Amino acid sequence: MNVIIVGASGYSGAELARLVASHPKLILAGIFVSEQSLDQGKALSDLYPQYTGLIDLPLQPLNSSALQFIAQHADYVCLCTEHKVSVDLAPQFLEMGKRVFDLSGGFRLSSDEDYQRYYGFSHSQPELLAQAAYGLAEWNAHAIAKAQLVAVAGCYPTAALNALKPLVNAGLVSDFPIIINAVSGVSGAGRKANIATGFCEVSLKAYGLFNHRHSPEIARYLNHDVLFTPHLGNFPRGILETIYVHLKEGVSSEQVTDAYQCLAQEPLIRLLGDKIPSINGVVNQAFVDIGWQQQGNMLIVMSAIDNLLKGAAGQALQCMNIAMGLPAHFTLVGGQHD
Amino acid sequence: MNVIIVGASGYSGAELARLVASHPKLILAGIFVSEQSLDQGKALSDLYPQYTGLIDLPLQPLNSSALQFIAQHADYVCLCTEHKVSVDLAPQFLEMGKRVFDLSGGFRLSSDEDYQRYYGFSHSQPELLAQAAYGLAEWNAHAIAKAQLVAVAGCYPTAALNALKPLVNAGLVSDFPIIINAVSGVSGAGRKANIATGFCEVSLKAYGLFNHRHSPEIARYLNHDVLFTPHLGNFPRGILETIYVHLKEGVSSEQVTDAYQCLAQEPLIRLLGDKIPSINGVVNQAFVDIGWQQQGNMLIVMSAIDNLLKGAAGQALQCMNIAMGLPAHFTLVGGQHD
Amino acid sequence: MNVIIVGASGYSGAELARLVASHPKLILAGIFVSEQSLDQGKALSDLYPQYTGLIDLPLQPLNSSALQFIAQHADYVCLCTEHKVSVDLAPQFLEMGKRVFDLSGGFRLSSDEDYQRYYGFSHSQPELLAQAAYGLAEWNAHAIAKAQLVAVAGCYPTAALNALKPLVNAGLVSDFPIIINAVSGVSGAGRKANIATGFCEVSLKAYGLFNHRHSPEIARYLNHDVLFTPHLGNFPRGILETIYVHLKEGVSSEQVTDAYQCLAQEPLIRLLGDKIPSINGVVNQAFVDIGWQQQGNMLIVMSAIDNLLKGAAGQALQCMNIAMGLPAHFTLVGGQHD
Amino acid sequence: MNVIIVGASGYSGAELARLVASHPKLILAGIFVSEQSLDQGKALSDLYPQYTGLIDLPLQPLNSSALQFIAQHADYVCLCTEHKVSVDLAPQFLEMGKRVFDLSGGFRLSSDEDYQRYYGFSHSQPELLAQAAYGLAEWNAHAIAKAQLVAVAGCYPTAALNALKPLVNAGLVSDFPIIINAVSGVSGAGRKANIATGFCEVSLKAYGLFNHRHSPEIARYLNHDVLFTPHLGNFPRGILETIYVHLKEGVSSEQVTDAYQCLAQEPLIRLLGDKIPSINGVVNQAFVDIGWQQQGNMLIVMSAIDNLLKGAAGQALQCMNIAMGLPAHFTLVGGQHD
């Protein structure tokens, strides 16, 4: 399949370009940036020296000739663009008959009201919200396989939902909001000139209390109330979530362990039991590491991912694999392609 | 006053040596390590190059001639030793009539049972537990001023108690356990050869779930149940606690703000209101930065300190200042000694 | 003395504001930014949370009423501005009769040609170049004491010149260019929104080969040819220079040690002999740590400073101390003000 | 081929285990540690959580039954052990008829005198020194292909020799010693409990001036005198060398560029021309990035590698690939196995 990536200069886009370029069933047919971008004309390896000799494709402006090229040559269009840009671009590519994989939050929530509240803009394509399949590979493969438009899951929700859906689905969780204390590496903030993510400025701190965009996304797909508090951490990649779950009265540790068995065969999920996940354990890998410990009816679940490689780009590749009828984890487990 | 420090080679001890050496009313009369230590005979600046020319005192073994020297020359004895070592050493210095400031956890809990459960040893001096004043400077100055033995508050409890006592004391908090999600810099683990704190190994991860020693310490002095979950963070100094408090039904944001007014005049407490504290804001300073945001009856409080300079060494210096009748923060607010 | 700082929002300016605010003989009378700055009206502590409660002065635009205020109230004007801005501003303040301490490179070289070559602009005040005293405190106190305009030494030159002038002045160095391999923390690049200094981008690498601005500055004040190669390092503060010196045939290690004796009484210079300096040894301190080892006629000298606190702001404060007739290191050695 | 690794618990050994385990022509037949090691019986993934589910083999003690197992089942034996241990172990495995790939420095120098001087021990197998092939894959494939014992090149020499041999071989370099200023990530110091490599201690600083073990190794295989100065850097992986070369009088930049053409077809060498290599460009990859700039007869060459993945483990895998008659870079260029 021919894949093009719009917004390939950012961290998610570049990571996805790498994954596509080394995938035996995909061809990286083009990488694009906005017409305003100062990066147009540069090779991706000018921005990311690690790709020198591996991906030397130039970043091209998404102008009308680019659109023509895409119309003729692309099968899959990946949007690594700002939320609002994705919302505006997706219909064009859908009309061309392309399958669209959107890595932004532009199609993850269910209503324009939610977009006004959490994203600060009115959604211009509300009718597409119902059509988009939520791109959480381990949980929604059937819908992803058929969908023309996939709203690839957010990075924080990827870590949270894989850790919590087994418990909620098994009916083990009481009505209290689940408290999710999350810390993300700086790449989660994207690649842009910004004092706040400057080397001398970054320092562990919370942000987005009570109103982060991933809060309604998690709640929607979990079917449970959550209190989600993200933090910026002083490391480049990775997410660690420490999650406080009030179990229903009398839930045993066996019930908890049993609930997680639904994930036991998932190649990208590693169930650590009472061992404790860490950022180092997952960075540069596409795994979700999940560990848990219980005392009485309080369960602490810890979930770790690489925000770019299981979140964002990795999740998008899983969705493309599913769309092609391949195993979702294809090429994502180190070195074992066959 | 003449101060000696036992265990001066560690991070807390060395920081305290620096604070004492530059204090106009204190004299650093001697620095000691155990008789087994490989550091004996070295200058403190051999271990800490930053102290070159500032503190070149040698680390001496705590042998019988050292004890004689201390008996004759010291007024204050600071113990920066392992918990059990502190418990064994403190009585000797108390019998000499010295005032003892113990930076370990050896005298912070109330019963031998607690030591067996949380510290893994049976306490050899249980009768001293009732005599020790808890060294949390902003809250217990009266007892500290009179005490012969001060159990200097732990670093995590320093951040937690300053942030939570105003709320609990004002009767605003419901019965649910308060959830404290804490991240500490690596210096909190002490200075020792240890693979786990090696440069290539450290990575954000939880530890001590449900049973960390600071859990009963916080609960004891807060008079409220807590669920305390510490994490190791990938930075050298600092603690950030993100605290989830279920307020009683109907508690208003004004009531919360009013509750914190009890700390408004404390020179080492900075009440940030709805601003968000960070590690960078407090590192190398002796402040507690406290911020909070509320939604309904859920209050998120964030508390940040430098674990060595408001926790550990700074807290110990506050206690010594109080013992001398000086303002607790004397010399601890940058450059304004008078 | 009343001090005002122009460009106080940057790393050097903010550090200098802190030093001035806690200095018993100086008053921080005002902090200014350009009229275009988005930071105007903010408190310095909005940008630097560590200063909360310590420096809450607002950053004011440098407009005509600001100039009037400065004319009436300031004694010393510190310029922490871009090179060209400093060149344009200095004459105004000199005409007001103020003493000007310029932390930029605007007055460090000797000719317009040098500015065109190394700074990329034609110097608008070439006649001031001869009047400016070079602000390298340990070496030029006499000129600094009398000067109306002080060109505060650059950070790399501060580390290099203190390490090398003793050797060159003693006539020990052969004619070969001295090779200076330098690594600076990211704060040396200033505080601005810039992808290159973003948290996920910084990585050890060389820059400015053969043509960095500090190259002619070092050569000018050393009277010796140098090959200076700076690198960006992945730490926030500090400079380490590893310097390769071809000694004249037959120079003994005693001669080298003797040469350094000219610095033995300098309170801010620490001569480590054959011990090896490190960034940790100097960060957050105003020292220059100098160590050296010799084999045959090859001498390796290592010099470490905090780029903001011995370079930049610290060096500027030394110059102001000298201007006031105080010891140059006054308030710069931790905690010992008297 | 069946590969066993002795010393698999260290950073090089574990990296090599990963490379072997994912190699289609190699089988990881066993991983061993010394009989004294506290890690015996542990899974490799207990030490390296990133390998969970990928390599769960247990670390076994190298006792007599292990030796029997190796005698029967192994084709290739990789030694990731201390220098002296390698020297003692290699003959045993050679006598069994195994091909031995030694990642230590035990067989890289030419004489017992050199081992006494640079390694501090007398070499027990001096006759093997002449038989060992130097494992610098790009330069010595012919000898590696035939050798029973391969002395895999050191990490610093890998970066230095690939950058310098083209110039020396082309006869462009004057007689002056080449100055190599090198900075290595902390993993280069190995995985052991050590205060000096503790998270709070690591800071950029030089070590091993004039006498580092890699100095004679570089000089031997370069046939040129070098002054090599290593530094410890505050990052986990990677080496950057900034190299100062005095060219012969009149050597042009074309001659330099031409000299490097001998490497232009090497898949793991990236010639950057006047672009500047960085640690980020090579980390987690098996490339050597080489850039250079010239002024007059001074040439600055910059060379960057991942110390574990082009140095150490990657270099060893290249040697095994050569021994098997495969392209040296087989499986080492990301995702393109065929």
Side-chain angles (χ1 to χ4, degrees), chain A residues 10-324:
Chain A
Y11 292 130
S12 298
E15 187 87 8
L16 186 54
R18 183 181 69 80
L19 291 176
V20 169
S22 63
H23 191 291
K25 308 289 186 192
L26 297 174
I27 291 162
L28 184 62
I31 53 176
F32 297 91
V33 291
S34 84
E35 291 192 79
Q36 287 72 47
S37 169
L38 298 174
D39 292 326
Q40 57 183 276
K42 290 186 189 169
L44 193 62
S45 55
D46 289 336
L47 279 66
Y48 297 90
Q50 59 267 43
Y51 295 165
T52 303
L54 300 175
I55 309 174
D56 288 326
L57 279 181
L59 291 160
Q60 296 180 297
L62 190 69
N63 54 23
S64 57
S65 75
L67 291 171
Q68 243 176 323
F69 171 88
I70 294 169
Q72 288 168 17
H73 296 291
D75 300 296
Y76 294 171
V77 172
C78 296
L79 301 178
C80 302
T81 36
E82 291 289 320
H83 313 293
K84 203 168 174 336
V85 175
S86 281
V87 172
D88 293 341
L89 287 176
Q92 297 186 53
F93 297 116
L94 291 171
E95 273 160 40
M96 293 177 190
K98 309 303 174 193
R99 288 179 92 142
V100 174
F101 301 85
D102 177 28
L103 281 78
S104 88
F107 296 98
R108 295 179 194 151
L109 301 187
S110 59
S111 71
D112 184 32
E113 289 91 316
D114 280 350
Y115 279 92
Q116 294 188 37
R117 174 163 173 204
Y118 289 104
Y119 284 80
F121 63 81
S122 183
H123 202 285
S124 63
Q125 319 289 333
E127 71 291 353
L128 286 177
L129 294 176
Q131 298 173 31
Y134 186 58
L136 187 69
E138 280 78 6
W139 294 91
N140 206 22
H142 194 68
I144 295 165
K146 299 180 307 184
Q148 207 62 21
L149 171 59
V150 177
V152 178
C155 49
Y156 285 124
T158 292
L161 291 169
N162 279 298
L164 290 171
K165 284 183 77 71
L167 303 170
V168 171
N169 288 3
L172 305 184
V173 181
S174 79
D175 284 345
F176 287 102
I178 295 170
I179 291 179
I180 302 172
N181 192 94
V183 186
S184 171
V186 183
S187 60
R191 185 178 187 273
K192 43 192 165 239
N194 182 351
I195 287 179
T197 53
F199 188 88
C200 301
E201 303 289 322
V202 168
S203 167
L204 182 65
K205 68 180 289 190
Y207 66 98
L209 277 72
F210 296 115
N211 66 6
H212 190 275
R213 288 155 179 162
H214 287 172
S215 201
E217 181 180 338
I218 298 169
R220 178 183 185 193
Y221 296 103
L222 186 58
N223 286 315
H224 199 285
D225 203 9
V226 298
L227 173 58
F228 170 71
T229 308
H231 297 68
L232 183 68
N234 59 322
F235 44 91
R237 295 169 78 121
I239 285 176
L240 180 71
E241 301 187 354
T242 305
I243 306 174
Y244 301 90
V245 181
H246 287 262
L247 298 172
K248 285 183 184 160
E249 207 58 51
V251 169
S252 70
S253 65
E254 288 72 29
Q255 286 176 282
V256 170
T257 301
D258 285 353
Y260 279 118
Q261 291 316 300
C262 66
L263 290 172
Q265 303 307 317
E266 285 295 341
L268 296 183
I269 309 282
R270 299 193 296 197
L271 300 174
L272 304 187
D274 63 2
K275 286 192 189 164
I276 294 180
S278 70
I279 293 293
N280 271 4
V282 294
V283 81
N284 294 320
Q285 301 200 88
F287 294 110
V288 188
D289 277 4
I290 302 172
W292 61 91
Q293 293 187 23
Q294 181 179 354
Q295 189 177 73
N297 68 339
M298 174 56 72
L299 181 75
I300 301 179
V301 184
M302 295 151 288
S303 180
I305 63 167
D306 183 310
N307 57 310
L308 298 176
L309 194 37
K310 169 60 186 172
Q315 188 82 256
L317 192 75
Q318 285 187 277
C319 294
M320 287 190 273
N321 280 335
I322 291 169
M324 290 185 285

Side-chain angles (χ1 to χ4, degrees), chain D residues 55-134:
Chain D
I55 308 175
D56 288 326
L57 277 182
L59 291 159
Q60 296 181 297
L62 190 69
N63 53 24
S64 57
S65 74
L67 290 172
Q68 245 179 321
F69 171 87
I70 295 169
Q72 288 169 16
H73 296 292
D75 299 297
Y76 293 171
V77 172
C78 295
L79 301 178
C80 301
T81 37
E82 291 289 320
H83 313 294
K84 204 168 175 333
V85 174
S86 281
V87 172
D88 294 340
L89 287 177
Q92 298 185 51
F93 296 118
L94 292 171
E95 274 161 39
M96 292 179 191
K98 309 304 175 194
R99 288 179 92 142
V100 174
F101 300 84
D102 177 27
L103 283 77
S104 87
F107 296 96
R108 294 179 194 151
L109 301 188
S110 60
S111 70
D112 184 32
E113 289 92 315
D114 279 349
Y115 279 93
Q116 293 187 37
R117 174 164 173 205
Y118 289 103
Y119 284 79
F121 63 80
S122 183
H123 202 285
S124 62
Q125 319 289 334
E127 72 291 352
L128 286 178
L129 293 176
Q131 297 173 31
Y134 186 59

Side-chain angles (χ1 to χ4, degrees), chain B residues 172-194:
Chain B
L172 305 184
V173 182
S174 79
D175 285 344
F176 287 104
I178 295 170
I179 291 179
I180 303 172
N181 192 94
V183 186
S184 171
V186 182
S187 59
R191 184 177 186 273
K192 44 191 166 239
N194 182 349

Side-chain angles (χ1 to χ4, degrees), chain D residues 172 246-256 294 296-298:
Chain D
L172 306 183
H246 288 263
L247 298 172
K248 285 183 182 158
E249 207 58 50
V251 169
S252 70
S253 66
E254 289 71 28
Q255 287 175 279
V256 170
Q294 182 179 356
N297 67 339
M298 174 55 73

